[in-house]
Amino acid sequence: MTEEFVPDDDKSVSASLGSNNEPAAASEQEIVCVTVTGSPKGVRETILTLYRLGFAEVGDWSPLQPAANPKQVMSVLIRRKLADDKSSRKSGR
């Protein structure tokens, strides 16, 4: 059930290799995972609310997966960006 979230060693190694079979610079990327857990209806409504707020596209979320509680499901959103990307930071002060 939750094995879909556990990376396959062969796939994760090949995905982290660049076109020259050199390891991708992990320090250059920041990865943020957002998880929504609850009833199927509640998870879908939360994803739609976040879409309406401009947070993420509906299709960016994983399909609903069984959660630890048998009556609950979960969906995951993974965001990747360059670690030195300052465009998302608010200017102020």
Side-chain angles (χ1 to χ4, degrees):
M1 292 182 193
T2 57
E3 289 95 20
E4 293 179 27
F5 292 102
V6 179
D8 181 286
D9 288 336
D10 295 334
K11 290 179 184 175
S12 62
V13 170
S14 62
S16 67
L17 295 176
S19 60
N20 297 330
N21 286 340
E22 296 175 9
S27 63
E28 293 179 14
Q29 284 191 2
E30 181 177 343
I31 298 175
V32 177
C33 297
V34 179
T35 305
V36 178
T37 306
S39 70
K41 181 181 177 186
V43 170
R44 284 191 295 268
E45 288 177 355
T46 300
I47 290 171
L48 286 173
T49 299
L50 292 171
Y51 167 73
R52 288 185 198 110
L53 293 172
F55 183 76
E57 295 292 321
V58 173
D60 292 345
W61 292 85
S62 71
L64 298 181
Q65 302 291 321
N69 182 330
K71 295 182 179 183
Q72 293 185 336
V73 296
M74 63 183 220
S75 183
V76 178
L77 171 72
I78 298 175
R79 291 253 174 113
R80 291 177 178 87
K81 69 178 191 93
L82 294 178
D84 62 352
D85 181 13
K86 296 177 183 157
S87 63
S88 64
R89 294 184 186 175
K90 292 184 178 179
S91 59
R93 291 190 157 173

